[in-house]
Amino acid sequence: MSSDDAYSSFLDQANQDTGASKTSAHSSFATTKAVDTDVPAPLQQVELYYRSEVDEPFEPVSLKWNGKNTPSADEFKDLVGHDSDISTLSPKEFDPHGHYKAVLEAVERSGDGKVKVFRVGHGTTRAEYYVVTQDQEGKRIVGLKAKAVES
């Protein structure tokens, strides 16, 4: 009987909350700015997930921007407040199989129709994808972003 009690005690201890902080997929992502102005309605209605090693939802992006064109990678780096490796992708490079058509269409409808994709690197395996367009009327960059783990 005592071996059963000892085993039961062992299981109880193994399943106890140790009080250590819980690690999530978000813990290794640096903080970037995504919203500092109103978000267009079409972007609030998108409920898709970006598929990677962690499936993350697309989140709205709406940042003040007074430029005449969509920002360059260097300008975007300043806009999101992150000093990291930022590259640009065409919508076709970002979505070669058409999985994110609804994302691209919602972003296109929210601005001038010219969609640009930025990949913001967070180390060697983590990234954020910003799918954006320019809303010249609202003087802002709007779109959607998702986090990805790519190892």
Side-chain angles (χ1 to χ4, degrees), residues 28-30 82 84-85 119-128 150:
S28 295
F29 284 95
H82 188 63
S84 177
D85 181 37
R119 182 187 183 280
V120 179
H122 297 280
T124 57
T125 60
R126 299 181 187 279
E128 286 180 293
E150 306 163 330

Side-chain angles (χ1 to χ4, degrees), residues 26 34-35 39 43 46 48 56-61 128-129 143-147:
H26 302 294
V35 177
V39 175
L43 300 177
V46 174
L48 286 175
E56 290 287 332
F58 281 93
E59 301 171 359
V61 173
E128 286 180 293
Y129 288 94
L144 296 164
K145 77 169 186 167
K147 295 177 180 174

Side-chain angles (χ1 to χ4, degrees), residues 56-73:
E56 290 287 332
F58 281 93
E59 301 171 359
V61 173
S62 184
L63 297 166
K64 295 174 187 167
W65 176 250
N66 290 319
K68 293 185 179 187
N69 298 307
T70 307
S72 67

Side-chain angles (χ1 to χ4, degrees), residues 77-131:
K77 185 184 292 191
D78 293 336
L79 195 60
V80 296
H82 188 63
D83 189 25
S84 177
D85 181 37
I86 296 184
S87 56
T88 56
L89 302 162
S90 72
K92 188 71 173 166
E93 290 170 318
F94 170 72
D95 187 22
H97 304 292
H99 297 298
Y100 308 112
K101 184 178 179 183
V103 168
L104 294 168
E105 288 175 350
V107 172
E108 191 175 290
R109 286 192 316 268
S110 298
D112 66 6
K114 298 174 189 166
V115 177
K116 197 168 189 179
V117 180
F118 293 97
R119 182 187 183 280
V120 179
H122 297 280
T124 57
T125 60
R126 299 181 187 279
E128 286 180 293
Y129 288 94
Y130 284 79
V131 183

